[in-house]
Every structure is written in C-alpha cells, then in structure tokens.
C-alpha cells in the first residue's frame, strides 16, 4: 500500500512553501499526501502580506477526518503560528501518536514573522516531546536553544534542543561548512549538503522536512532519512524556479523540466 503522509501547516498562496511545498515533496517521494490547514497566508516570492488563523475546532475536524478514514503513516508540522493552534495540534497528536517531524517554522525567507512570540514556549513544551525529530534551521535552533551568541555550534545547539525534550534534532542551513547536523541523544552525525548559487530557495526547509516525513513513513531509519532529505532538498534548490516572481523563487521538488521534456518526447512519438 502507498504510504500516507500528513502535513499540519499553513497554506502559501504563492505555492512555494507551506502546505503546497509539503504535498509536492510527498508526491515526489512516492507517498499519498494529506493536509490539515491551521492558517492561510497571502504570500508570494516577495513577502507575506496577511495571515488568517483558522478556528481550532476546524483544525481538529480536519485531523479527525484524515485519521478516522484514511490513516496516517507519518506526519509533519510546519507553520503553526499561534499558541492556541499549537495546543490544538498537540492535544490531538497526544491521543493519536504517529512518527512526527516537527519543523519549527518561525520566519519566512522574506523575513516575515510566522510564529507569534508567546508561542515559542508552547512549541517547546507541547510539541517537542511528541516529535520523532525536530528540524530547525540555524536561526530557529538559536531561538529554541536560547543561544544569543552566534558562536554556538550546530552540535551544541542540537544538544540543547534535545535537552528540551526532542528525541532527535537536525539543525539545517546556516553559513560556513555545508552540513546539516543530526543528533539523536547518543550520536552526532554530519550530513553533507551541496550548496547551489541560485535565487530559488523558497520552500527548501518545508521540502526537507516533508521528505524526511515521507522517508520515515517508508520505513527508513532516522539517519538514512536525514541523508535522503538533505539530498532531495538540495536538488530541489538546484532546479529552483528563479524566474518566477520578483523575490526568492520556489524550489522544484517535482523536477518540472524533466516532466515537460517527457511530455515533449511522447508528443513526438504520437505524431
């Protein structure tokens, strides 16, 4: 049976990040993608102009609909925006445990704040203990670990976040050596990544965490899933659609150019 992956996150009207990026990454990984939206954004490659929070009871209704009928092999959370929404999601997942990737989305690539200030503590207290793995980027890891000094290493950040209750941590991104850092409470593992000088990284973090979720649903070990997610996210950036929009273009998890080439070839055969 096809593995079933659920994203609990926010819609990006520009299609580059959020729910839309997650569903594309699930499809690229060969999984059936499902979604429970917690909020909507008016968003494009330049920025976020509005955020609309959905009622908690509607979020719960979406989760119940998916779990009661289709079932979930693994889930991920993305932008949850508020303390109320985090508590709603945590309340449900406490009663319906599944392998869970927590992507603590706090700030958009455009700089827009995507998590309210009073929600960080709730995220740490309620969601981190439910996670299989937490995937902050370097800036998010510094906030979670309350590391005000920029000299704190990724390994130290991962240890601090693990101490907060996360069973495993992958600190992604940042400047310097191109590696993600994986820590499961026992082992520190450097996950090499290839950097690409393209203006299309919008949705890279979502693609990484969604691919990680899909890999766990398909039975990969956490370490193997971390390597898979790093590779897929890097390739999606390399194929990024830099010509879309005036800002940072969206990544391409589906390899759209290859799909178009496939269509051109088959169109030629039919002539």
């Amino acid at each position: 049976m096809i593995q079933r992956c659920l994203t609990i996150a926010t819609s990006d009207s520009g299609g580059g990040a959020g729910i839309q990026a997650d569903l594309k990454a699930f499809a690229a990984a060969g999984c059936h993608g499902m979604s429970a939206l917690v909020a909507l954004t008016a968003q494009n490659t330049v920025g976020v102009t509005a955020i609309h929070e959905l009622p908690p009871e509607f979020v719960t209704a979406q989760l119940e609909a998916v779990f009661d009928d289709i079932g979930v092999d693994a889930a991920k959370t993305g932008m949850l925006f508020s303390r109320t929404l985090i508590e709603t999601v945590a309340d449900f997942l406490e009663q319906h445990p599944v392998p869970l990737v927590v992507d603590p989305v706090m700030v958009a690539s455009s700089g827009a704040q995507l998590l309210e200030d009073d929600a960080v503590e709730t995220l740490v207290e309620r969601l981190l203990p439910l996670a299989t793995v937490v995937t902050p980027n370097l800036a998010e890891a510094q906030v979670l670990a309350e590391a005000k000094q920029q000299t704190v290493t990724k390994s130290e950040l991962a240890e601090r976040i693990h101490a907060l209750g996360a069973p495993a941590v992958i600190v992604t991104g940042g400047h310097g050596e191109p590696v993600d850092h994986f820590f499961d409470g026992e082992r520190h593992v450097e996950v090499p990544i290839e950097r690409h000088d393209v203006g299309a990284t919008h949705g890279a973090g979502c693609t990484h965490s969604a691919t990680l979720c899909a890999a766990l649903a398909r039975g990969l070990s956490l370490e193997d899933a971390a390597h898979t997610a790093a590779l897929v996210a890097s390739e999606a950036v390399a194929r990024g659609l830099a010509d879309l929009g005036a800002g940072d273009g969206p990544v391409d998890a589906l390899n759209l150019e290859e799909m178009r080439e496939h269509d051109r070839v088959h169109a030629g055969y039919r002539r």
Side-chain angles (χ1 to χ4, degrees):
M1 185 173 75
I2 292 292
Q3 285 77 25
R4 304 153 297 177
C5 293
L6 170 67
T7 171
I8 308 168
T10 296
S11 171
D12 172 2
S13 55
I19 289 281
Q20 288 83 351
D22 292 341
L23 292 176
K24 285 183 275 190
F26 290 159
C31 294
H32 173 67
M34 304 167 291
S35 61
L37 275 74
V38 302
L40 312 173
T41 64
Q43 184 174 174
N44 53 31
T45 65
V46 178
V48 179
T49 57
I51 299 175
H52 176 65
E53 187 174 347
L54 296 178
E57 58 272 17
F58 183 69
V59 174
T60 301
Q62 293 175 80
L63 293 169
E64 288 174 342
V66 171
F67 274 82
D68 290 350
D69 177 41
I70 301 170
V72 176
D73 294 306
K76 66 150 287 189
T77 61
M79 173 187 160
L80 297 180
F81 186 58
S82 72
R83 177 179 54 80
T84 299
L85 291 174
I86 293 170
E87 290 174 342
T88 299
V89 171
D91 286 344
F92 186 89
L93 293 178
E94 282 177 346
Q95 302 301 317
H96 302 79
V98 292
L100 177 66
V101 177
V102 172
D103 185 4
V105 178
M106 296 180 181
V107 179
S109 58
S110 63
Q113 183 172 339
L114 301 179
L115 184 67
E116 294 181 337
D117 291 334
D118 67 350
V120 176
E121 183 177 353
T122 306
L123 180 80
V124 170
E125 292 180 351
R126 297 296 311 279
L127 267 188
L128 261 59
L130 300 177
T132 303
V133 59
V134 181
T135 63
N137 62 31
L138 184 59
E140 292 160 348
Q142 289 166 343
V143 173
L144 291 175
E146 296 183 340
K148 296 180 181 178
Q149 297 143 340
Q150 302 296 315
T151 56
V152 179
T153 65
K154 287 183 182 178
S155 62
E156 292 171 321
L157 291 170
E159 288 181 353
R160 292 190 191 185
I161 296 169
H162 176 267
L164 293 173
V169 183
I170 303 172
V171 180
T172 67
H175 301 290
E177 190 177 358
V179 295
D180 292 345
H181 191 90
F182 169 78
F183 179 61
D184 62 0
E186 295 181 359
R187 300 175 61 241
H188 287 279
V189 179
E190 301 274 283
V191 180
I193 56 176
E194 185 176 357
R195 285 218 174 101
H196 303 281
D197 187 20
V198 296
T201 59
H202 186 53
C206 300
T207 299
H208 176 278
S209 56
T211 302
L212 186 65
C213 175
L216 294 177
R218 298 183 67 174
L220 271 68
S221 71
L222 192 47
E223 186 175 333
D224 287 344
H227 283 274
T228 298
L231 176 62
V232 169
S234 177
E235 290 178 343
V237 170
R239 296 190 299 263
L241 309 175
D243 56 339
L244 292 186
D248 190 20
V251 301
D252 178 13
L254 291 173
N255 200 348
L256 296 176
E257 185 56 44
E258 183 176 283
M259 293 171 64
R260 291 171 61 183
E261 180 60 28
H262 178 272
D263 289 344
R264 284 193 290 266
V265 169
H266 281 266
Y269 285 146
R270 288 195 295 268
R271 286 190 184 129

